[in-house]
Amino acid sequence: MTMAGKGILAMDESNATCGSRLEGVGVENIEENRRRYRELLITTPDLGEHIGGAILFEETLYQSCADGTSFVDALNAQGIYPGIKVDKGLRPLANTSESWCQGLDDLADRSAAYYEQGARFCKWRSVVSIPDGPPRTAVTGLARYAAIVQNAGLVPIVEPEILLDGEHGIDETFEVASWVWAETFKYLADNNVSFERMLLKPSMVGPGADCPTRNTAEEVADYTLRMLNSRVPPATAGIMFLSGGLSELDSTLYLNAMNQSPNPWHVSFSYARALQNTVLKTWAGDDAKKDEAQAILARRARENGQAQLGKFVAGDVSDSESESTYQKNYVY
């Protein structure tokens, strides 16, 4: 997953979240439709050239393609490691404005079962909302999760997501992220988590979604790299950024800007909507559009693979697609 030019496809949306996106394009939220869509993703030709891992939802880990090939085998055939989301969703944390993820109580047993099924890495997410005030306990569960799954043989992805919601500027994001990332690694160290056997999945350091001041890709890259260098141990195996509400194009441009100079880590991507959004809109439940949708996913994977190498050029679009169409389509 940390080979040059590779990143992660995040396709671990819960049944409710995946269902809302399917329903948004007129597709009924039933298991078979979720299976059909996810089969489209993992059977995309040559996907493994730029995707090293795919994060699955629990339902998806146990599903199979229409021809009977398990999803795990289909991914392995492309050289893509299967992973799984292991938290059980966010819940309000009593007496605070924060949320926390359930699932620690039976995580050891579930991790062993997931490994037996073929998963080789996993993900646990915590969220921080800047408008809700300074977080206090949101990141502590990440460390316990990482320690538990490492003991089960899985590589943990640690995801302290700082939400884009709000009018705050990039400097306030930097301040909050500085605290969150410092606390995350403190607790990881306290729990004897091996940094060499984990991946960090952070948000990029940018302005809030409603901030009137917008920053360039170079500014976002500068702030984010300063944060990485001041807070993340060089031993950490990889930094797999989430897109977190960014447009498809911006998420690629920001990643590309961060890879214009050498880093001690593998600075790459673990995108969901930034890889899938146009794919889902194109397919919309019509298998006659499957090839077209897969071609878009393959291109998005390739573009972000180029960005991981610092070699992405926004003008490199297909002959049939103008730059204006590219800009319009890659926004959600």
Side-chain angles (χ1 to χ4, degrees):
M1 293 187 291
T2 56
M3 292 179 63
K6 289 196 176 187
I8 294 173
L9 168 62
M11 45 181 288
D12 58 322
E13 298 89 351
S14 68
N15 290 346
T17 299
C18 183
S20 68
R21 293 177 186 171
L22 289 173
E23 290 167 353
V25 295
V27 179
E28 185 182 3
N29 181 22
I30 59 175
E31 181 178 354
E32 175 58 15
N33 286 338
R34 294 192 297 270
R35 190 204 63 77
R36 289 172 58 221
Y37 174 59
R38 283 159 167 165
E39 179 180 348
L40 178 154
L41 297 176
I42 68 172
T43 59
T44 294
D46 301 321
L47 186 64
E49 289 187 10
H50 300 287
I51 300 295
I55 313 172
L56 311 177
F57 190 60
E58 185 174 45
E59 174 185 83
T60 316
L61 182 67
Y62 293 90
Q63 287 178 326
S64 297
C65 301
D67 65 3
T69 304
S70 72
F71 279 4
V72 167
D73 287 344
L75 287 167
N76 285 330
Q78 293 231 48
I80 299 173
Y81 286 105
I84 183 168
K85 165 188 162 74
V86 295
D87 68 72
K88 291 188 175 180
L90 292 166
R91 294 292 186 274
L93 185 62
N95 300 325
T96 77
S97 59
E98 298 176 54
S99 297
W100 67 290
C101 277
Q102 299 183 109
L104 285 175
D105 51 350
D106 62 349
L107 181 57
D109 291 339
R110 289 191 292 119
S111 296
Y114 298 148
Y115 188 93
E116 180 68 22
Q117 181 62 19
R120 291 297 178 263
F121 71 100
C122 55
K123 188 200 85 169
W124 183 287
R125 172 177 176 254
S126 183
V127 299
V128 173
S129 173
I130 292 178
D132 286 344
R136 292 181 293 278
T137 57
V139 299
T140 56
L142 287 168
R144 290 304 309 139
Y145 137 78
I148 291 168
V149 301
Q150 278 191 344
N151 277 283
L154 298 173
V155 173
I157 292 180
V158 175
E159 182 179 353
E161 179 178 4
I162 298 174
L163 301 175
L164 275 178
D165 305 337
E167 300 178 352
H168 51 278
I170 193 170
D171 289 294
E172 186 173 355
T173 304
F174 186 92
E175 181 180 352
V176 173
S178 179
W179 185 91
V180 170
W181 290 17
E183 288 292 291
T184 296
F185 278 96
K186 174 191 180 298
Y187 283 111
L188 288 168
D190 287 346
N191 283 270
N192 296 314
V193 173
S194 171
F195 298 153
E196 294 87 348
R197 295 173 51 232
M198 63 158 277
L199 301 170
L200 178 69
K201 182 173 178 175
S203 310
M204 299 177 190
V205 180
D210 298 320
C211 178
T213 301
R214 308 314 298 169
N215 295 96
T216 66
E218 290 72 23
E219 289 170 333
V220 170
D222 176 65
Y223 273 78
T224 305
L225 289 174
R226 281 198 284 132
M227 182 65 67
L228 286 175
N229 281 292
S230 66
R231 289 293 183 264
V232 180
T236 305
I239 314 297
M240 319 301 284
F241 282 101
L242 58 91
S243 51
L246 297 172
S247 74
E248 290 182 320
L249 181 56
D250 280 347
S251 62
T252 307
L253 290 173
Y254 294 172
L255 178 63
N256 188 68
M258 278 186 274
N259 282 296
Q260 294 306 301
S261 58
N263 296 299
W265 316 273
H266 177 80
V267 176
S268 192
F269 61 94
S270 177
Y271 293 162
R273 282 181 293 175
L275 287 174
Q276 294 183 46
N277 191 61
T278 306
V279 176
L280 179 58
K281 289 180 178 179
T282 300
W283 173 68
D286 182 0
D287 286 339
K289 297 288 187 68
K290 179 178 178 179
D291 290 347
E292 182 181 354
Q294 288 184 327
I296 292 170
L297 178 58
R299 186 185 65 196
R300 291 295 299 132
R302 182 178 67 253
E303 290 166 345
N304 283 289
Q306 292 169 343
Q308 196 287 312
L309 299 171
K311 297 180 179 179
F312 172 71
V313 179
D316 290 347
V317 296
S318 65
D319 293 339
S320 61
E321 183 178 41
S322 68
E323 179 68 13
S324 61
T325 302
Y326 184 99
Q327 293 274 2
K328 181 180 71 174
N329 285 347
Y330 284 9
V331 175
Y332 52 85

